[in-house]
Amino acid sequence: MTTVTKKFLWGLLALIALGLYVILIWKGPWWFDGAHLRKKDLQPADGVVITGFRTMLVALGVAVTAGIGLLYTHRNHQHALTQFEHTREKDREQAELAREDQVTGRYVEAIKLLAVQDSDDEGVRLTERLGGIYALERIMRDSEKDHDTVVQVLAAFVRQHAPAPDPEVAETSGDTDLPGPKDDVQAALTVLGRRPWRNESQVVDLSFTALWRVDSARARLAGANLFGADLQRADLTGADLKSARLSAATFTGAQVKGLDLRGADLTGERIAAHLDVSQLL
């Protein structure tokens, strides 16, 4: 049944009801009390009965009309609320899509900066990579959904730009032969160490990396994979490495005061030989 047909039927029913109501007002007194009312030569007493009956019908009609009006208003109000919720939900979806597009655009630009290779000036490349790293940090903080992706990208960046050398070569090098981390590698590690507290689907993979003299004091790297990482002379003061995988890692000369290693995998000769447990206290 179409909307026009429904409206026509409702209008027809309303006209019929109105007609019956008028007839009831006109003839009703005699239908309900015809035995006591004269049809001709009405007396004052008849007028009182007729007037009272008709007044009652008018009052009843007003009440019914008011009730119908309230019902109609309520239905319109509910319809308006439904429309409002629907519109608000669509606006929310549109805003979320726009936000997703914006985050995606920012992510693409950050990755481009991180992988920049088209400049002969290393200083320019370093500046752009730093910009990409901090742009990714902002995305990670703004978008919980992209948190894991950014963490994995930054960890991969560290593995690519600070790969661990041959263990024997690293151990035979003196302190003066151990350079500090590049600024972009240090920045990536800093961002990883201060990332927001969230549930993560993957561990931070920093395995087989050369993290000489890095500043990771108070870094949050619980559960990280540091298998085979070279942390000589690193500042790990107060860092959180609970449940981290540290097998085959090197800690020669590292600052480890207050380092939290509860549940960490400390197996391996390199750990026993180079990690001074007494400094942890």
Side-chain angles (χ1 to χ4, degrees), residues 212-231:
W212 302 324
R213 301 180 185 275
V214 297
D215 181 3
S216 289
R218 293 172 294 281
R220 188 174 69 82
L221 295 171
N225 180 10
L226 287 160
F227 182 87
D230 193 337
L231 291 156

Side-chain angles (χ1 to χ4, degrees), residues 8-241:
F8 174 76
L9 290 177
W10 278 110
L12 182 60
L13 288 174
L15 286 175
I16 293 173
L18 180 61
L20 292 175
Y21 179 68
V22 172
I23 293 173
L24 185 61
I25 291 177
W26 178 28
K27 295 291 186 178
W30 286 274
W31 290 348
F32 287 92
D33 201 13
H36 301 91
L37 293 176
R38 300 176 181 85
K39 294 184 179 180
K40 296 180 180 180
D41 300 327
L42 297 177
Q43 299 298 315
D46 298 328
V48 171
V49 174
I50 294 171
T51 301
F53 183 83
R54 288 175 174 172
T55 301
M56 178 193 69
L57 285 180
V58 170
L60 182 62
V62 171
V64 171
T65 302
I68 293 174
L70 288 174
L71 178 61
Y72 181 75
T73 302
H74 175 71
R75 290 185 61 184
N76 282 345
H77 179 66
Q78 291 297 113
H79 180 69
L81 284 178
T82 302
Q83 289 293 103
F84 174 74
E85 289 296 331
H86 180 67
T87 302
R88 187 167 66 173
E89 184 63 27
K90 288 187 65 176
D91 290 344
R92 187 183 297 114
E93 291 176 357
Q94 291 294 331
E96 184 63 23
L97 287 175
R99 180 176 174 276
E100 289 293 330
D101 288 343
Q102 185 183 45
V103 170
T104 300
R106 290 165 55 194
Y107 177 78
V108 171
E109 291 302 317
I111 293 298
K112 288 180 180 178
L113 290 174
L114 207 62
V116 65
Q117 296 291 341
D118 57 357
S119 175
D120 294 331
D121 189 338
E122 175 58 26
V124 173
R125 293 200 299 269
L126 175 61
T127 300
E128 292 182 338
R129 288 197 296 269
L130 287 173
I133 290 168
Y134 292 123
L136 286 174
E137 180 181 26
R138 181 63 181 271
I139 292 171
M140 176 172 57
R141 293 186 178 278
D142 291 345
S143 175
E144 183 174 352
K145 186 165 62 175
D146 296 297
H147 177 101
D148 282 351
T149 300
V150 172
V151 169
Q152 296 308 312
V153 167
L154 292 177
F157 178 84
V158 174
R159 294 196 305 273
Q160 178 183 359
H161 290 267
D166 183 272
E168 294 183 0
V169 174
E171 288 187 1
T172 56
S173 300
D175 288 352
T176 57
D177 297 325
L178 294 176
K182 297 178 181 178
D183 290 344
D184 48 3
V185 172
Q186 178 64 67
L189 286 169
T190 300
V191 170
L192 288 172
R194 67 187 182 200
R195 67 195 188 282
W197 289 87
R198 291 173 181 152
N199 291 328
E200 296 175 343
S201 60
Q202 302 180 62
V203 300
V204 180
D205 186 1
L206 298 173
S207 58
F208 299 106
T209 50
L211 305 180
W212 302 324
R213 301 180 185 275
V214 297
D215 181 3
S216 289
R218 293 172 294 281
R220 188 174 69 82
L221 295 171
N225 180 10
L226 287 160
F227 182 87
D230 193 337
L231 291 156
Q232 294 186 70
R233 303 296 173 184
D235 184 358
L236 301 173
T237 305
D240 181 1
L241 290 178

